[in-house]
Structures are given as structure tokens and as C-alpha cells.
Amino acid sequence: MHPVLILILLIAVLLAVSVIRRRPGLLRHPALRPVVIGVLTLGLMYLSTRFHWSILLFGLAPLLPRLWGAFSRAQAARGPTPGSTSRVEAEWLRMTIDHDTGKLDGEVLKGTYRGRGLGSLDRAALLALLAECRGGDSESARLLEAYLDRRLGDDWREEGGGAADDARSAGGGELPMTAAQALQILGLEPGADRDAIVAAHRRLIQKLHPDRGGSSYLAAQINRAKDLLLD
């Protein structure tokens, strides 16, 4: 292949990466992946018949870090795949957050309603569960309050006795958060890089910030998770 054609090919690759960085949604197009794989395969097969592999790799090596970094940023900007969830767990509750809608749901881990889903409990049962949580674990109480705010609005507070902080429920301060818990809260896999962490935090905080009808407790947990993973 003529050196000018090789240069044109490399410029085309860099332009393609630049376009993907500006419009990460293109990565979701179902026809893109097989086309890219096919073009790269044919190109490498063609080049391998005319150049020694070591020469080809030596020439491409300086571009690989930039290409990989651009691809990682584009992947992070794409957002989670449909159906992705985050998980926040306390002694009495395991709460899940749907990334697409910000909807909260969960499972009771302890007490009278152990094994039940929060969605299956009516108002009276939820308030009874809240009283149990306040008597045993303040983290669980705050987590349930976040769910009640999302499902029932503010109406439950007069009947339920206000917020856990106001009720001075048992347990006091927050428990230490581990890296594994932080990843679960942000819905990330181990090894997630800085761009993925920042992108996941941004997506979740937009849905669960108190100013958008979310929960101050969950927003705090999301912020703690980001800070811990970026520390």
C-alpha cells in the first residue's frame, strides 16, 4: 500500500474517533460493530501481506493509547445498558435503583416483613416496617424514608413521625463504605476508570438529587461512593 494511502487511513481513523467522542450515541448503532470489525480485519490482512507485523505494530503503537482513551471516554458517555441497576444495602433493607428511570424498589432482609418486596407492602405495612427499622438500624430507616418519599411523597411524615434524623433513631452516624459497596451504589464493575465513575455519578445524581424530587440520603450515598472511588 502506498505511504500516502496509509496516512489517509490513519487520519480517517482519528476523525472517526473524534466524531464518536462528540456523538457517543453512534456506538449504539447495531450495524457499526460488524462494519468496523470487518474493515479492520480486511485492512490488517491486506497489510500483513506487504509489511512485516513488527513494522505495522511499531507504526501504530503511538496511536494506541489515544485511541483506547477516546474509546473509554465514549463508552462512559454512553451510559448504562438498558435495565442496569445500582444497589444500596443496609442491615434491614436491600434497595435497587433503576438507572433508566430512577425508580426505587427493594427487599426486606430482616424483621416482620423479611423476604417481602417493598412494592408488595401497603402504606400501613411500610410505616410499620419503618418503626422496626428505627428501633434497630438508622441506616435502614433512612433508606426506607428515601423510598417512602419517592412512593408516597411527603404525606407519610406526619403519620410516620418525621424523618429518622429528627426522630433520633438508633445508630447515629453512617457506617464506613467499602469500595465494593461504592461500585454497587454507582452500578459499576470492578476496574471502572475515572471517566466511568464520574459519568455514573452524574447520571444517578441527576435522577435522585433532592431538588429533582429525590432523596438527600441517597444523594449523599452516591456522593460518598464517587469520592471513595476517586480518592
Side-chain angles (χ1 to χ4, degrees), residues 88 95 97 104 143 146 205 208 215-223:
V88 185
M95 193 79 73
I97 307 168
L104 302 180
L143 197 55
I205 207 69
L208 295 173
S215 158
S216 58
Y217 173 74
L218 286 178
Q221 298 307 301
I222 293 168
N223 288 331

Side-chain angles (χ1 to χ4, degrees), residues 138-139 142 171-177 217 220-221 224:
S138 62
E139 289 289 304
R142 295 187 185 103
E174 295 177 320
L175 297 176
M177 182 182 292
Y217 173 74
Q221 298 307 301
R224 286 181 67 198

Side-chain angles (χ1 to χ4, degrees), residues 73-172:
R73 288 189 291 273
Q75 286 287 88
R78 286 177 61 187
T81 56
S84 295
T85 60
S86 295
R87 190 172 74 196
V88 185
E89 188 166 333
E91 183 179 347
W92 286 61
L93 296 173
R94 180 185 297 118
M95 193 79 73
T96 57
I97 307 168
D98 186 280
H99 283 210
D100 298 324
T101 64
K103 180 181 178 181
L104 302 180
D105 203 352
E107 179 186 1
V108 183
L109 304 178
K110 191 174 179 180
T112 304
Y113 302 98
R114 179 179 179 180
R116 296 279 300 275
L118 293 178
S120 69
L121 301 179
D122 60 18
R123 181 189 183 96
L126 288 170
L127 293 178
L129 175 61
L130 177 61
E132 290 186 349
C133 289
R134 285 177 172 174
D137 177 50
S138 62
E139 289 289 304
S140 300
R142 295 187 185 103
L143 197 55
L144 183 55
E145 286 175 2
Y147 176 81
L148 291 172
D149 285 339
R150 199 78 166 183
R151 177 171 162 180
L152 304 178
D154 294 332
D155 295 341
W156 67 270
R157 291 184 178 274
E158 183 175 352
E159 184 179 352
D165 290 335
D166 297 335
R168 301 183 184 277
S169 59

